[in-house]
Amino acid sequence: MPSRRERANAIRALSMDAVQKANSGHPGAPMGMADIAEVLWRDYLKHNPHNPQWIDRDRFVLSNGHGSMLSYALLHLTGYALSIEDLQDFRQLHSKTPGHPEYGHTVGVETTTGPLGQGIANAVGMALAEKVMAEQFNRVGHEIIDHYTYVFLGDGCMMEGISHEVCSLAGTLGLSKLIAFYDDNGISIDGEVHGWFTDDTPARFEAYGWQVIRNVDGHDADEVKTAIDTARKSDQPTLICCKTVIGFGSPNKQGKEDCHGAALGVEEVALTRANLGWQHPPFEVPADIYAEWDAKEAGSKVEGDWDRRFAAYAKTHPELAVELKRRMAGELPEDFAEKASAFVREVAQKGESIASRKASQNCLNAFGPLLPELFGGSADLTGSNLTLWKGCKPVVQEDATGNYLYYGVREFGMSAIMNGIALHGGLIPYGATFLVFMEYARNAIRMSALMKLRVIYIFTHDSIGLGEDGPTHQPIEQLANLRLTPGLDTWRPADTMEAAVAWKHAVERRDGPSALVFSRQNLPFHLRDDETEAAISRGGYILKDCMGEPELILIATGSEVGLAMQASMRLSEMGRRVRVVSMPCTSVFEAQSAAYRQQVLPRTGARIAIEAAHADYWYKYVGLDGRVIGMTTFGESAPAGQLFEHFGFTVDNIVATAQELLRANG
Amino acid sequence: MPSRRERANAIRALSMDAVQKANSGHPGAPMGMADIAEVLWRDYLKHNPHNPQWIDRDRFVLSNGHGSMLSYALLHLTGYALSIEDLQDFRQLHSKTPGHPEYGHTVGVETTTGPLGQGIANAVGMALAEKVMAEQFNRVGHEIIDHYTYVFLGDGCMMEGISHEVCSLAGTLGLSKLIAFYDDNGISIDGEVHGWFTDDTPARFEAYGWQVIRNVDGHDADEVKTAIDTARKSDQPTLICCKTVIGFGSPNKQGKEDCHGAALGVEEVALTRANLGWQHPPFEVPADIYAEWDAKEAGSKVEGDWDRRFAAYAKTHPELAVELKRRMAGELPEDFAEKASAFVREVAQKGESIASRKASQNCLNAFGPLLPELFGGSADLTGSNLTLWKGCKPVVQEDATGNYLYYGVREFGMSAIMNGIALHGGLIPYGATFLVFMEYARNAIRMSALMKLRVIYIFTHDSIGLGEDGPTHQPIEQLANLRLTPGLDTWRPADTMEAAVAWKHAVERRDGPSALVFSRQNLPFHLRDDETEAAISRGGYILKDCMGEPELILIATGSEVGLAMQASMRLSEMGRRVRVVSMPCTSVFEAQSAAYRQQVLPRTGARIAIEAAHADYWYKYVGLDGRVIGMTTFGESAPAGQLFEHFGFTVDNIVATAQELLRANG
């Protein structure tokens, strides 16, 4: 029977050979963590290669995602639909084995990793979701949701700030089924870490309230096994500190940064083969080793056991069982669309002129009761973001039955945790901060989009309209940044109606995240006929039209739509034919037919875009001949009204700009 | 004689009154930290209100910047040019007392704070700069640079990830003259922090290698004094954990989140006055209390002492003294411009076709020896960013005479530390990461721009051209994000010449930061005549022109300029009149005269922009009638050449697009 080391060497060989073939990649981490992975995946991990979607599987996250070949080797060896040819195609166009693990692209990959520190954050989100779902759905004698979240992470993740945010929170929440393996190999890209990283990491994690298992030899299976056993018994999250040798097995490169991020070289690969006693050619794994790794049968059995337990649960708690399946499938309640539409009509009838952040809270109060899967939160701005609704109950360590998390001042952590929650399934996370501080979370928002996750970001205080807090708090370039993120829908509603439609769209959207951008200040309500109301969901639409062909189109969003409406009235009184286009979501508008877009924005007529955000974005819509009334500098600290005046967001200025432009156009 | 408490109450009264008058602001922190501030500013802080630029002053940073009234009150009371009228104008347009403290706007404010966690990071940069400058300039018997950096920070800063990055590094570097006061009041905006923040913060900081002084009563001057004395003796950075009551003195709101971010209310202000025994009307401070606070005379004396010591230093080490003054004034060596220009000419003669990151390293090797103030680093990507040059010497705890820091995997921390270094003076920091991971550091880059600091960011691996690492590592929307940041110059050079000009521009620029964006892959060198060479520094210029008026202008940057050049040749062969405009830096181009811009980009002729980054940015330059060959999706993992082909960055596609466009234009 192959030894543990031989089984681990299969990972090492596949990893170094795939990297060598691609002449690109990171052999060091897979080779260093192979022994740990062998113990975890063969002796503990609850999973079924036949059904990577099984809802009660353990989650495995490779936070040091550059070591992707570790995941690919494990998935291949244990029997997932990832062939040896796929491994040979490592890092090639359209292969199933891209440079970093990609969720939704490679079967069995639980999250996209690579940007350091975010994998551990996703894992915290998964473990949190498991805890919440378990408390919401398990019943006495029916532990239907009961799985671990395992995560590998390296020095890079440990140095990143986000690891602080999320591990601190994981400790506070007592996420006892989160088990992290720290690949303490003492090496990062620049060399031996002691020059720039001297934390007492175990002490740091104890300060967070974690159980820490120190000084585990990451190449000693018994020590790893004992550590995992201890971890699984804890009522705290556990950090297992594994001393490992990066590139283990490479006689000349192990323990050095050289093997971190480049192929070992043909010669060193051969020497490593000899050193490891791995006699097999590249991409050949002996049948007995495959047999040892094969988890298909065991996986089917363990899922089969669960299926029987679930059947018993379904018999005793039929409604819960149906609801659990619905939620894990990401399907909305059957009546959601109808009731949400009814709410939208109600909003239209009320016609309130309120802050859009308040309109957002009204949406939460309407949609919340319909959606037990809604899981909210704020990065310590609950009262400003208005993210609480009547049915909110906070999740705390002792009671995770709730649906709201006080994330603390942790924007990046919150966002990456939301990604983990969405990846786990069963919950639709929304989380909030001020729009300008989306920058702290920026790369996690990008990851939501890259992974096509239903994550809802609420960003309030959306412009200089926040007033006195001044330029550090006033977003300028942030809206464009969000809009330029592929796959992210960014909504900036002009009133309560647009807010309601945006919220509905974000909830109903299954293939990606939404950013809902709301004002601090009150916004006027705009009257619409039925057709106009229906058009909101097209992202951009004619809010007010003129008789005949418009000679001027005012394009605006959010708080500036009101100004555009007033200006259009003034210009109409002067005899001008002016159309107002409200453009709450450019990406949704762009997804409309060319005919519709052409109808809303015909090429005839001058154009002016008005938005209290960076002007440059809007040239896409006004071109070289149009005008943009926008920001090109940072803001100022003053009451909001004065700032709008100061920066030219006034009816007078729009009218003057329009007159100048119409004159220029002859 | 007024008691310590009475002196502190002056801060409290000014803070609550100013917030009340503005009906906006944060009274809680100033009232909570007033007693600590009283001890620090009156008994320890080495400063001279007459000369806020004195180079050896202690630095004071309010990392919890929302408590700005604390700083304003202190500056006013100690005698800086900040009048009582200025305080009355708190948070009003163009006042000297904006909502958050702004560097360069209010005398005596050492850094702009508000975005949490960045103040402590700036302070780490200041303390690091002090240590480096001291080791570079002090000589036996001449401790010319010898000051402390004090920083106040609250729970928000402690929760933010960046506090981990920078405090970890401060511990590793042994920044013993960094003294931080943790305002441990148990309250954040969402309420009592124990629901979301249960770290053992003292243990956490000990894990970083800090001296931690626990359980100091922040309202007991003796305890604070003892703690500061202990801190100043340490060979480690020190965290003084102060238990305080937020909003101290407000009978109904102290100790609660209500007083964090809103005016107390007229009634509560009156009650607080009574409770504190502060009998004076708003904005009136009795003369005896002013007299106690006044630091002008003491400041003049302490600077006068230093002046005498500096004179002795200048006598013994005249060259060092001159050099120190030059560097602290931010002036470049007299011969820099000339020698840098000579290097640029050399680059032109060499005509190398190399990666622009390599071209950047060549610049460093040329400029480094001319600029002892250059202080480099990388967030653990030194070998990839190519940020080392021959004269680099790493700074480590035991020896800070060097000019390079291995920042570790801490992009945000690095960037905010660089801001602190630039604020301190004497050094010009540059630091690097991959372009996509500028997102981790995003808000610190914004702060460089807001503060107009000479910070140089190096971002390599600038597009899908990085190849196999895939979409997590391939920037798409990042270039536009940088370009839309007011005050930031973003350069994406097309070859060695543009790289050299960009570097020279970044070094010579005194009023703001620069982002230098470089390729991983080789880029062809472009031949230029003298006039064309000179035009590079205008940010956008005609690299290749046609006879007569162009019917097509190809606008490109970086790696796509080579494609544009080849396409223009093919199109020329077809009889088309094609101009190629290289646009390495749009902000610098926009700063040129309208005549120049019009000359480069006349309104006649069709336009195509080509850049392997998000397309939307370029509509500003091609309008509604032009075309953009850019990215609108995330990238893929594959060799770079295949990706350029896959995403349409080929000569064939440019030519085809041009033909289609020229046909469409008739």
Side-chain angles (χ1 to χ4, degrees):
Chain A
M1 195 174 95
S3 67
R4 282 187 178 278
R5 178 55 51 80
E6 283 171 296
R7 295 192 295 253
N9 285 346
I11 297 172
R12 294 191 170 97
L14 289 170
S15 299
M16 72 177 178
D17 289 337
V19 172
Q20 189 62 47
K21 183 160 188 292
N23 197 25
S24 168
H26 301 76
M31 297 174 77
M33 297 195 83
D35 297 308
I36 304 167
E38 192 274 334
V39 175
L40 177 65
W41 276 63
R42 284 196 69 264
D43 294 8
Y44 294 94
L45 195 75
K46 182 174 77 171
H47 67 131
N48 181 9
H50 282 308
N51 181 14
Q53 301 306 318
W54 174 30
I55 67 177
D56 199 40
R57 71 191 182 279
D58 289 338
R59 271 42 169 197
F60 174 78
V61 173
L62 188 76
S63 192
N64 46 349
H66 51 273
S68 55
M69 268 310 303
L70 178 64
S71 281
Y72 300 146
L74 287 163
L75 293 168
H76 169 71
L77 289 166
T78 55
Y80 286 77
L82 198 68
S83 69
I84 198 77
E85 290 77 23
D86 291 327
L87 268 53
Q88 289 173 329
D89 268 357
F90 183 52
R91 295 185 154 231
Q92 303 311 303
L93 192 60
H94 302 318
S95 81
K96 288 187 185 167
T97 49
H100 290 81
E102 293 181 24
Y103 170 78
H105 183 86
T106 308
V107 68
V109 167
E110 300 280 6
T111 179
T112 301
T113 49
L116 292 173
Q118 288 189 68
I120 173 71
N122 298 159
V124 170
M126 292 174 186
L128 172 64
E130 193 269 351
K131 180 166 174 158
V132 170
M133 291 295 287
E135 294 210 26
Q136 289 186 3
F137 283 95
N138 290 351
R139 291 296 178 268
V140 177
H142 298 281
E143 304 288 310
I144 289 305
I145 301 290
D146 181 17
H147 52 265
Y148 289 91
T149 301
Y150 298 103
V151 54
F152 283 10
L153 74 165
D155 288 301
C157 294
M158 283 297 185
M159 282 184 258
E160 289 287 3
I162 189 173
S163 70
H164 166 60
E165 296 182 8
V166 302
C167 294
S168 166
L169 192 55
T172 298
L173 294 172
L175 301 179
S176 57
K177 287 155 93 178
L178 174 64
I179 300 176
F181 297 79
Y182 169 32
D183 185 29
D184 183 11
N185 61 30
I187 294 292
S188 66
I189 296 178
D190 278 353
E192 296 176 18
V193 296
H194 61 68
W196 45 89
F197 184 48
T198 55
D199 287 5
D200 179 346
T201 296
R204 173 187 162 208
F205 274 71
E206 283 169 353
Y208 295 151
W210 286 48
Q211 169 179 248
V212 177
I213 304 176
R214 288 174 157 78
N215 295 318
V216 173
D217 179 347
H219 302 296
D220 181 320
D222 292 336
E223 287 194 23
V224 173
K225 222 171 144 52
T226 305
I228 297 175
D229 288 337
T230 307
R232 287 160 59 110
K233 279 179 224 141
S234 175
D235 59 358
Q236 301 162 283
T238 297
L239 181 71
I240 303 177
C241 297
C242 300
K243 288 276 172 200
T244 65
V245 177
I246 188 171
F248 181 97
S250 162
N252 297 302
K253 295 195 170 177
Q254 70 178 11
K256 297 177 191 156
E257 63 269 30
D258 309 12
C259 66
H260 167 88
L264 297 179
V266 175
E267 200 172 329
E268 186 67 13
V269 165
L271 292 172
T272 304
R273 263 197 160 66
N275 189 41
L276 291 171
W278 184 264
Q279 312 291 354
H280 323 291
F283 301 107
E284 280 189 26
V285 175
D288 60 342
I289 290 183
Y290 267 128
E292 287 281 315
W293 271 109
D294 192 338
K296 292 197 291 294
E297 196 180 316
S300 293
K301 189 186 164 310
V302 70
E303 186 177 351
D305 291 346
W306 184 87
D307 286 341
R308 277 181 290 281
R309 289 192 290 117
F310 187 80
Y313 173 74
K315 205 165 170 185
T316 326
H317 305 286
E319 285 177 15
L320 278 176
V322 170
E323 179 72 353
L324 177 61
K325 289 229 151 177
R326 176 187 75 76
R327 284 177 49 179
M328 290 303 294
E331 282 159 16
L332 297 178
E334 273 183 19
D335 58 355
F336 178 77
E338 190 190 324
K339 290 187 173 169
S341 296
F343 170 72
V344 173
R345 282 192 301 276
E346 218 174 277
V347 169
Q349 279 152 22
K350 274 196 188 157
E352 291 175 293
S353 292
I354 53 179
S356 55
R357 62 175 170 153
K358 178 68 190 162
S360 165
Q361 191 177 39
N362 292 346
C363 295
L364 278 167
N365 272 312
F367 296 167
L370 310 175
L371 297 171
E373 56 264 55
L374 260 194
F375 188 87
S378 165
D380 202 47
L381 287 168
T382 292
S384 298
N385 299 140
L386 297 180
T387 38
L388 276 184
W389 57 278
K390 287 187 223 98
C392 275
K393 176 182 167 186
V395 166
V396 294
Q397 175 160 2
E398 305 73 29
D399 181 0
T401 55
N403 59 0
Y404 193 86
L405 187 60
Y406 290 98
Y407 283 97
V409 189
R410 302 178 176 103
E411 300 83 6
F412 196 8
M414 172 178 74
S415 305
I417 286 173
M418 289 203 290
N419 287 341
I421 292 171
L423 287 162
H424 179 278
L427 300 168
I428 299 177
Y430 69 90
T433 184
F434 287 160
L435 176 56
V436 80
F437 296 124
M438 78 88 188
E439 296 195 339
Y440 276 55
R442 168 65 205 156
N443 197 260
I445 301 165
R446 187 175 206 251
M447 295 302 286
S448 308
L450 185 56
M451 290 195 270
K452 302 183 162 62
L453 301 177
R454 178 156 52 187
V455 171
I456 302 174
Y457 293 96
I458 300 182
F459 298 128
T460 70
H461 295 61
D462 71 343
S463 76
I464 51 169
L466 66 85
E468 293 91 340
D469 272 343
T472 54
H473 284 53
Q474 290 163 358
I476 303 295
E477 65 274 43
Q478 289 66 25
L479 269 171
N481 188 7
L482 292 172
R483 292 187 182 124
L484 264 52
T485 307
L488 176 69
D489 281 342
T490 302
W491 293 83
R492 185 173 187 248
D495 65 0
T496 56
M497 272 299 283
E498 289 189 4
V501 171
W503 252 110
K504 180 168 182 286
H505 193 279
V507 168
E508 291 180 338
R509 182 177 187 209
R510 292 193 61 154
D511 65 347
S514 303
L516 308 182
V517 176
F518 296 120
S519 72
R520 178 187 185 219
Q521 74 277 22
N522 286 346
L523 305 182
F525 179 82
H526 302 288
L527 278 174
R528 298 172 185 83
D529 59 22
D530 288 352
E531 194 187 339
T532 309
E533 264 179 44
I536 297 175
S537 65
R538 306 186 81 154
Y541 63 100
I542 302 166
L543 176 61
K544 173 173 178 290
D545 211 357
C546 53
M547 298 292 287
E549 200 158 275
E551 57 188 324
L552 175 68
I553 305 176
L554 301 177
I555 309 169
T557 82
S559 44
E560 287 65 69
V561 171
L563 292 175
M565 290 293 276
Q566 288 183 57
S568 81
M569 278 185 281
R570 285 256 295 275
L571 288 160
S572 302
E573 286 162 15
M574 298 174 189
R576 293 299 191 175
R577 298 189 309 281
V578 182
R579 170 179 292 182
V580 177
V581 169
S582 180
M583 186 77 90
C585 183
T586 54
S587 57
V588 168
F589 178 71
E590 293 298 332
Q592 305 302 311
S593 69
Y596 176 78
R597 284 180 283 133
Q598 164 73 18
Q599 179 203 324
V600 174
L601 295 177
R603 282 301 303 276
T604 52
R607 298 183 184 184
I608 301 176
I610 310 145
E611 185 176 64
H614 204 292
D616 279 9
Y617 177 79
W618 289 101
Y619 291 103
K620 179 177 180 185
Y621 292 100
V622 304
L624 301 175
D625 299 309
R627 298 283 184 278
V628 182
I629 298 176
M631 298 287 294
T632 52
T633 65
F634 292 109
E636 298 274 359
S637 169
Q642 289 178 38
L643 290 176
F644 277 105
E645 183 108 14
H646 177 69
F647 288 108
F649 298 97
T650 61
V651 175
D652 283 349
N653 187 38
I654 298 171
V655 169
T657 305
Q659 288 175 311
E660 177 264 322
L661 180 60
L662 290 168
R663 266 196 309 272
N665 287 5
Chain B
M1 195 175 94
S3 68
R4 282 187 178 278
R5 178 55 51 80
E6 284 172 293
R7 294 193 295 251
N9 285 345
I11 297 172
R12 295 190 169 97
L14 289 172
S15 298
M16 70 177 182
D17 290 336
V19 172
Q20 190 62 48
K21 182 159 191 291
N23 196 24
S24 167
H26 301 76
M31 296 174 78
M33 297 194 82
D35 297 307
I36 304 167
E38 191 274 334
V39 175
L40 176 65
W41 277 62
R42 284 197 67 266
D43 294 7
Y44 294 96
L45 195 74
K46 182 174 78 172
H47 66 130
N48 181 8
H50 282 310
N51 180 15
Q53 301 307 316
W54 172 31
I55 66 177
D56 199 40
R57 70 193 182 277
D58 288 338
R59 271 42 168 197
F60 174 78
V61 173
L62 188 76
S63 192
N64 46 351
H66 50 272
S68 55
M69 268 310 303
L70 178 62
S71 281
Y72 300 147
L74 287 164
L75 292 168
H76 169 72
L77 289 167
T78 55
Y80 286 77
L82 198 68
S83 68
I84 198 76
E85 290 76 24
D86 292 327
L87 268 53
Q88 289 174 328
D89 267 357
F90 183 53
R91 294 186 153 229
Q92 303 311 305
L93 192 59
H94 303 317
S95 81
K96 287 187 185 167
T97 49
H100 290 81
E102 295 181 22
Y103 169 77
H105 183 86
T106 308
V107 69
V109 167
E110 299 280 5
T111 178
T112 301
T113 50
L116 292 173
Q118 289 190 67
I120 173 71
N122 299 158
V124 170
M126 292 173 187
L128 172 64
E130 192 268 352
K131 180 166 173 158
V132 169
M133 291 295 287
E135 294 211 26
Q136 287 186 4
F137 283 94
N138 289 351
R139 292 296 179 268
V140 178
H142 298 281
E143 304 289 310
I144 288 305
I145 301 292
D146 182 18
H147 53 266
Y148 289 92
T149 301
Y150 298 103
V151 54
F152 283 11
L153 74 166
D155 287 302
C157 294
M158 282 296 185
M159 282 185 257
E160 289 286 2
I162 189 173
S163 70
H164 165 60
E165 297 183 8
V166 301
C167 294
S168 165
L169 193 56
T172 298
L173 294 172
L175 302 180
S176 58
K177 287 154 94 177
L178 175 64
I179 299 175
F181 297 79
Y182 169 32
D183 184 30
D184 184 10
N185 61 30
I187 294 292
S188 66
I189 294 178
D190 278 354
E192 295 176 19
V193 296
H194 61 70
W196 46 88
F197 183 48
T198 55
D199 288 4
D200 179 347
T201 297
R204 173 188 162 207
F205 273 71
E206 282 168 354
Y208 296 151
W210 285 50
Q211 169 178 249
V212 177
I213 304 174
R214 287 173 158 79
N215 296 319
V216 173
D217 178 346
H219 302 296
D220 181 320
D222 291 336
E223 286 194 24
V224 173
K225 220 169 144 56
T226 305
I228 298 175
D229 288 337
T230 307
R232 288 160 58 108
K233 280 179 222 140
S234 175
D235 59 358
Q236 301 162 284
T238 297
L239 182 71
I240 302 176
C241 298
C242 300
K243 290 275 175 203
T244 65
V245 177
I246 189 170
F248 182 97
S250 161
N252 297 302
K253 296 196 170 176
Q254 70 177 13
K256 297 177 190 155
E257 63 270 29
D258 311 11
C259 66
H260 166 88
L264 296 180
V266 175
E267 199 171 329
E268 186 68 13
V269 164
L271 293 172
T272 304
R273 260 195 164 67
N275 190 40
L276 291 172
W278 185 264
Q279 313 290 354
H280 323 291
F283 302 106
E284 281 189 26
V285 177
D288 59 342
I289 290 183
Y290 267 129
E292 288 281 315
W293 271 109
D294 192 338
K296 293 198 291 292
E297 194 180 321
S300 293
K301 189 186 164 309
V302 70
E303 186 178 351
D305 291 346
W306 184 87
D307 286 341
R308 278 182 287 282
R309 290 192 289 116
F310 187 80
Y313 172 75
K315 203 164 172 185
T316 326
H317 305 284
E319 286 176 14
L320 278 177
V322 170
E323 179 72 353
L324 176 62
K325 289 229 149 176
R326 176 187 74 76
R327 284 176 51 179
M328 291 303 294
E331 282 159 18
L332 298 177
E334 271 183 21
D335 59 354
F336 177 77
E338 188 190 326
K339 289 186 172 168
S341 297
F343 169 72
V344 173
R345 283 193 300 277
E346 219 175 276
V347 169
Q349 278 151 23
K350 273 195 188 157
E352 292 177 294
S353 290
I354 53 179
S356 55
R357 63 175 170 151
K358 178 67 189 160
S360 165
Q361 191 177 40
N362 292 347
C363 295
L364 278 168
N365 272 310
F367 297 167
L370 310 176
L371 297 170
E373 56 264 56
L374 260 195
F375 188 86
S378 166
D380 202 47
L381 287 168
T382 293
S384 298
N385 300 141
L386 298 180
T387 38
L388 276 184
W389 57 279
K390 287 186 222 97
C392 275
K393 177 183 167 185
V395 165
V396 294
Q397 176 160 2
E398 305 73 28
D399 180 0
T401 54
N403 58 1
Y404 193 86
L405 187 60
Y406 290 99
Y407 282 98
V409 189
R410 302 179 176 102
E411 299 83 5
F412 196 9
M414 172 179 74
S415 305
I417 286 172
M418 288 202 291
N419 286 342
I421 292 171
L423 286 162
H424 179 279
L427 300 168
I428 299 177
Y430 69 90
T433 184
F434 287 160
L435 176 56
V436 81
F437 296 124
M438 79 87 187
E439 295 193 341
Y440 276 56
R442 169 63 205 158
N443 198 260
I445 301 165
R446 186 175 208 252
M447 295 301 286
S448 307
L450 185 55
M451 290 194 271
K452 301 184 162 62
L453 300 178
R454 178 155 54 186
V455 171
I456 302 174
Y457 292 96
I458 300 181
F459 298 128
T460 69
H461 295 60
D462 71 343
S463 77
I464 50 169
L466 65 84
E468 292 90 340
D469 273 343
T472 54
H473 284 53
Q474 290 164 358
I476 303 294
E477 64 275 42
Q478 289 66 25
L479 268 171
N481 188 7
L482 292 173
R483 290 186 183 124
L484 264 54
T485 307
L488 176 69
D489 282 342
T490 302
W491 292 83
R492 185 173 187 247
D495 66 359
T496 54
M497 271 299 283
E498 289 189 4
V501 171
W503 253 110
K504 182 167 180 288
H505 194 279
V507 167
E508 291 180 338
R509 183 177 186 207
R510 292 193 61 155
D511 64 348
S514 302
L516 309 181
V517 175
F518 297 119
S519 72
R520 178 187 184 219
Q521 74 276 22
N522 286 345
L523 304 182
F525 180 81
H526 303 289
L527 278 174
R528 297 171 184 83
D529 59 22
D530 288 353
E531 195 187 339
T532 309
E533 265 178 43
I536 297 174
S537 65
R538 306 185 81 153
Y541 64 99
I542 303 165
L543 176 59
K544 176 174 175 289
D545 212 355
C546 52
M547 298 291 288
E549 201 158 275
E551 57 188 324
L552 176 68
I553 305 177
L554 300 177
I555 309 169
T557 81
S559 44
E560 287 66 69
V561 171
L563 292 175
M565 290 292 276
Q566 288 182 58
S568 80
M569 278 185 283
R570 286 256 293 275
L571 289 160
S572 300
E573 286 162 14
M574 298 172 186
R576 292 300 192 175
R577 297 188 311 281
V578 183
R579 169 180 293 184
V580 177
V581 169
S582 180
M583 187 76 91
C585 183
T586 54
S587 56
V588 168
F589 178 70
E590 293 298 333
Q592 305 301 310
S593 68
Y596 176 78
R597 285 181 283 133
Q598 164 73 16
Q599 178 202 326
V600 173
L601 295 177
R603 282 301 305 275
T604 53
R607 298 184 184 185
I608 301 176
I610 310 146
E611 185 176 64
H614 204 292
D616 280 8
Y617 178 79
W618 288 101
Y619 291 103
K620 180 176 178 186
Y621 292 100
V622 304
L624 301 174
D625 298 309
R627 297 285 184 277
V628 181
I629 298 176
M631 297 288 293
T632 53
T633 66
F634 292 110
E636 298 273 357
S637 169
Q642 289 178 38
L643 291 176
F644 277 105
E645 184 108 12
H646 177 69
F647 287 107
F649 297 98
T650 62
V651 175
D652 283 349
N653 187 39
I654 299 171
V655 170
T657 304
Q659 287 175 311
E660 177 264 323
L661 180 60
L662 290 169
R663 267 196 308 273
N665 286 6

